[in-house]
Amino acid sequence: MLKIDSPYFKKANSSRRLSILCVLVIVIILLSFSVTGGASSKFLIFHLDAVSSQNFFQYMEDGDLPNLKTFFEDGHIIHYGLSLFPGGTEMIYPRLKKGLDNSTGDSVGWNYYDREKEKVISKYKTWFYMVSHMPRRARASFIYGIPGLDTFNFLHLLNVPELLETYGVIEFIWFTTDALGHMLGPKLYEASIRRFDRYFGNLVKKLNLDEVNIIIYCDHGMSFGKFINADQAKEIERIVGDNLLTFLFPNVYLKNPDKKDKTAKDIVLESEIDFAFYRENPHRVAGYSDQGKMFFEEKEGKLRYLFEDKDILGYYSSGYNGEWLTDLEWLSQTRDSRFPAVPPNIYNLLSNEKAGDIVIIINPPKIPIFGWLTYPGNHAGLVNTDLMVPILVKGPQLEHLYGREVMWLHNLYTSISELSFENNEPAREKNSFSFWGSGYGELNSGFEMSLSPAYRWNFAFRYHDDIYRSWLEYDLYSSYLIRLWTGAGLQYNGQNLDALVQARLQIDLGKIQLNYGGQYSREGWEINTKELVYQINDRLALEWLIPNGFGLSFSW
């Protein structure tokens, strides 16, 4: 094999070196256009946190969401999507991919009591359980969920067109709306939704819409108003007394469950808590309000609603007459109610083995107090502004949903046969070959070959400044914006063979990539990677090795 630093190259005149360089450039450019991939279906999913249908469509009617309105005019918007109770990302997100309702799964609130282990399962376990269902590269969304940082989401969105070339499904999670609604109120909350609309409008101009299916959903709502604080923890302790095992909103766990009927009634009559539900027998749930009692009975997979004293849910006055209905029929029947589809939402939750003996409900304009926090907005009730959400769809694999008016949110993904979250990662990273020079009269003052045996792994060999380096690196951390690579290898400088530890930060901004890193050997830490790359197409890129190296890279 002819070495790049051999006498042959050293003695070659400038014109010959220039000719060889030109041939290499031409060959690489031709190769970069030689293969065209076939079109395949892609899914781009946006999770817009804590926006109810009522708020969403009001903002759209007011002209605050022009890009979403225009884009989905030839798509479809499901106005009556319903999330699970208790309304929260920790409830709905882990269930979405498998289409599970709240009768199964670990989340029945932010934490729960494990009766078998006789201990409280902390909210941290619930948080990690939720995060474990998120794509690895989407988890940085929590950072940008901090109020004020959603402005920087445009950096991630710059990379979506390129990410869609690598991943079949991209999930983009916009968390900030939830935090803003809770802590700072409707004004900044709405500003974040308008920002999402602007960023979305800029993004879709760059997409091949013949190949991309786009889904936007909100996971639950957010209620605002003149709230009456309800310190439910103190009230539950006072009313339940010595029979209280623990209270973890909205679940009340009792030492003696036989007293749950009296306890549920006392809770609503002696506090600001609106409803208290409990399972009366395997096929019947009972509940109290301060105006009467209600029952949800199950038979052959269907439910009916009965009441004593007053119909607090208002279903009978709207045309219901005691029929047995499926979950979807309940949603269709009550979609315009202030309390949409309460029977299946509560009946199924109380079927969950992790749920409390009693489940309490606090509806707006009341708002629960959690510790020292008092909020201007929340989503802890059974009302439409807490649970009714919009679902927006557009794309060739989503057209079968265009006629839908109602949908339980947890059934969204399973209703799309072409949408799969399995094996969504590529088999490997891109292989690449790069070469560069540092002046008009020098050909190939360095080159690098990178081969990927598997996803998140690269094996690289590099020659530069008469030093040979070889290393294996691993993607330790990734978001949609950065990747942190670490690895180890060997270095040979003509006299010594040394071990080295390698680290590299990769920052992607659309077609521009910045690599910055170095290595540690017995000579100490050395920054040896400062590189700016411009991607001409999916195979060919221009490279600038800062400050004075220029070259080309070919990937496959």
Side-chain angles (χ1 to χ4, degrees), residues 397-412:
Q397 272 68 51
L398 302 173
E399 291 180 354
H400 66 286
L401 298 177
Y402 283 15
R404 295 288 294 270
E405 295 183 351
V406 300
M407 175 180 284
W408 284 89
L409 180 58
H410 64 275
N411 291 330
L412 171 61

Side-chain angles (χ1 to χ4, degrees), residues 349-361:
L349 176 63
L350 281 165
S351 300
N352 193 307
E353 63 181 4
K354 296 176 175 61
D357 300 295
I358 297 172
V359 169
I360 68 163
I361 313 296

Side-chain angles (χ1 to χ4, degrees), residues 164-230:
L164 284 169
E165 297 299 321
T166 303
Y167 302 90
V169 182
I170 294 293
E171 292 183 68
F172 193 90
I173 305 174
W174 191 280
F175 277 136
T176 324
T177 37
D178 188 82
L180 288 169
H182 279 309
M183 294 186 286
L184 299 173
K187 186 175 181 180
L188 292 176
Y189 163 87
E190 184 180 350
S192 183
I193 300 171
R194 291 198 302 268
R195 186 175 296 114
F196 173 83
D197 177 81
R198 290 198 304 273
Y199 289 0
F200 177 80
N202 293 331
L203 171 63
V204 293
K205 297 173 185 176
K206 305 171 185 176
L207 300 178
N208 182 351
L209 298 178
D210 293 329
E211 296 181 5
V212 181
N213 300 279
I214 296 181
I215 301 169
I216 300 177
Y217 72 89
C218 300
D219 59 338
H220 55 80
M222 180 69 74
S223 294
F224 297 103
K226 252 180 142 177
F227 288 106
I228 305 167
N229 291 330

Side-chain angles (χ1 to χ4, degrees), residues 328-379:
L328 186 59
E329 288 170 340
W330 267 112
L331 179 54
S332 298
Q333 176 91 11
T334 63
R335 66 185 192 181
D336 293 314
S337 168
R338 183 170 185 257
F339 297 102
V342 168
N345 229 340
I346 292 298
Y347 186 92
N348 292 336
L349 176 63
L350 281 165
S351 300
N352 193 307
E353 63 181 4
K354 296 176 175 61
D357 300 295
I358 297 172
V359 169
I360 68 163
I361 313 296
I362 300 174
N363 294 308
K366 301 169 188 174
I367 184 170
I369 294 176
F370 295 100
W372 53 272
L373 296 173
T374 56
Y375 296 134
N378 213 323
H379 42 86

Side-chain angles (χ1 to χ4, degrees), residues 260-291:
K260 55 191 175 183
D261 179 80
K262 180 180 184 306
T263 303
K265 185 175 183 179
D266 290 344
I267 286 172
V268 298
L269 292 179
E270 299 179 24
S271 74
E272 292 286 343
I273 295 168
D274 293 299
F275 303 145
F277 294 97
Y278 66 94
R279 181 164 292 280
E280 193 172 80
N281 63 50
H283 299 283
R284 181 177 167 109
V285 163
Y288 285 99
S289 75
D290 61 356
Q291 300 180 63

Side-chain angles (χ1 to χ4, degrees), residues 31-82:
L31 285 172
S32 72
F33 290 102
S34 63
V35 179
T36 55
S40 60
S41 298
K42 305 286 185 179
F43 287 87
L44 177 57
I45 301 171
F46 291 94
H47 169 121
L48 180 58
D49 211 287
V51 185
S52 68
S53 287
Q54 179 173 307
N55 290 340
F56 183 87
F57 293 111
Q58 184 62 57
Y59 300 151
M60 184 172 281
E61 183 179 331
D62 293 343
D64 292 328
L65 306 177
N67 295 297
L68 291 170
K69 183 176 183 179
T70 299
F71 183 80
F72 287 98
E73 280 180 347
D74 54 349
H76 182 63
I77 302 178
I78 299 172
H79 286 59
Y80 302 98
L82 193 68

